[in-house]
Amino acid sequence: MDESGDSGQPQPGAGGTDPAAPEKGKPQRPREPGGGILMGRPFGVPVYVAPSWFLVAALITWVFGGQLDRVLPELGAVRYLVSLFFAIAFYASVLVHELAHTIAALRYKLPVRRIQLQFFGGVSEIEKESETPGREFVLAFVGPLLSLVLAGVFYVAMKFVEPGTVPGVLLAGLMISNLIVAAFNLLPGLPLDGGRMLRAVVWKITGRAMSGTVAAAWVGRALAVAVLIGLPLLTQTGGLGNNPHDVSGMDTVTDALLAAILAAIIWTGAGNSLRMARLREHLPDLRARTLTRRAVPVEAATPLSEALRRANEAGARALVVVDGHGDPKAVVREAAIVSVPEHRRPWVAVSALAQDLTDGMKISAELTGEELLDTLKASPATEYLVLEETGEIYGVLSTADVERAFVAAMARPAA
């Protein structure tokens, strides 16, 4: 199952307090997005295989091996090697599906955090939203389209091999599986590609991306319920082309479990899409200027008690260490201030509690929304010096304040 989308949005507090903080004055290199075993970087995008994939690959190998035993009993135990090849080839097809999303996203200048192959298919984590409903529609449609093209390629290849042979069975299986992937992802509910296409259509009609997300997410939840009830029912009644008399008790349990897992994934994905849309609705409210704490400049040798006295008189909540010319050199960390007992503060200089400023820790007071989050994520720290366009000190921005504002934005209902 494909859940390509904006699941890799910048997260609040990406530069928050870290027990393994970098040494003073040394910017921390952003961590590589993980999520499994790194398989490569096509088009510069890391591709990971989640540990759950190995469970599914083993399951596919076992199930397809049983089918091969009925079609090609002469294979014996070799059928499981053939089945393993099928599992790998199937997920290679899923990767092609995800690469279609990735190439389209890069074509539209949308950053892709990673591709992950996991339990029920793959995910392309696109970090930003499409700017127009037309681009959103194309971005979603290219995945199922590539799956349909692959199904056609395997169908044509079947014409050149003998039916009932290993190549013939493999090509038939890959053709059918890609048709299923395309059909399933075209279902009109988030987080599936069809849901994103429905979202684009409603967005185009109403002029509001949020309206499209709400509609597609609720259709996705309805699909989850339909899968939970309908999949076992279709198996029991022979609606999937099977003989209902051949359905055993174990088959019933397996179908119910599969339906429950699929339904849970769709329901959760739809809910996550709603939450992310709500966030984007309020993301412009995150402004560096309004979140910044007023700061007072102090020299490095100033005792902490004296610096705090000056801050209290000025109504400030942060301290910036400056040199003799008044140029900012460091930011006094709030956590360090709290850790100093009050009776020792007259004997501790602010320089002992300060973190030297790097270029990444100096940000503009005009930053807002996603640009602000991206800037903080690029240079992780606990505090940042906020500057006016003229270079004057505006104040200090704490990632703790950004986190609180981020959570508040998520909690507010959409307009």
Side-chain angles (χ1 to χ4, degrees), residues 97-304:
H97 177 116
E98 297 304 326
L99 285 174
H101 291 302
T102 295
I103 294 171
L106 296 177
R107 172 69 176 81
Y108 291 140
K109 310 297 183 184
L110 300 176
V112 182
R113 180 171 180 257
R114 66 177 177 178
I115 296 173
Q116 186 184 53
L117 300 180
Q118 54 187 19
F119 195 82
F120 273 108
V123 177
S124 300
E125 296 187 3
I126 302 170
E127 294 190 342
K128 291 185 179 180
E129 187 181 52
S130 301
E131 295 179 356
T132 66
R135 289 186 174 185
E136 174 77 355
F137 189 93
V138 171
L139 191 60
F141 181 60
V142 290
L145 177 61
L146 255 293
S147 293
L148 288 173
V149 169
L150 284 175
V153 169
F154 290 128
Y155 175 76
V156 171
M158 287 171 57
K159 302 297 183 180
F160 298 94
V161 299
E162 192 74 25
T165 62
V166 170
V169 173
L170 283 175
L171 289 172
L174 290 171
M175 180 197 70
I176 294 172
S177 61
N178 275 278
L179 283 175
I180 292 173
V181 168
F184 187 78
N185 278 285
L186 286 173
L187 293 175
L190 288 172
L192 303 173
D193 293 329
R196 298 187 66 195
M197 293 162 64
L198 173 62
R199 174 180 181 271
V201 171
V202 177
W203 178 3
K204 179 67 174 179
I205 294 173
T206 63
R208 295 186 70 244
M210 186 65 186
S211 298
T213 302
V214 171
W218 279 106
V219 172
R221 287 175 168 174
L223 278 174
V225 175
V227 167
L228 181 62
I229 299 173
L231 185 58
L233 188 61
L234 285 173
T235 303
Q236 291 294 322
T237 59
L240 296 177
N242 60 302
N243 187 343
H245 297 291
D246 295 335
V247 178
S248 65
M250 182 58 70
D251 291 333
T252 301
V253 172
T254 301
D255 290 339
L257 180 60
L258 176 63
I261 294 174
L262 280 174
I265 291 174
I266 296 173
W267 183 280
T268 302
N272 288 339
S273 298
L274 275 177
R275 282 188 289 274
M276 291 306 302
R278 187 185 301 123
L279 167 64
R280 292 194 194 96
E281 192 92 332
H282 296 295
L283 201 55
D285 296 340
L286 295 180
R287 300 177 179 273
R289 186 174 293 278
T290 58
L291 294 173
T292 296
R293 301 177 179 184
R294 185 178 178 186
V296 294
V298 293
E299 294 188 353
T302 306
L304 178 58

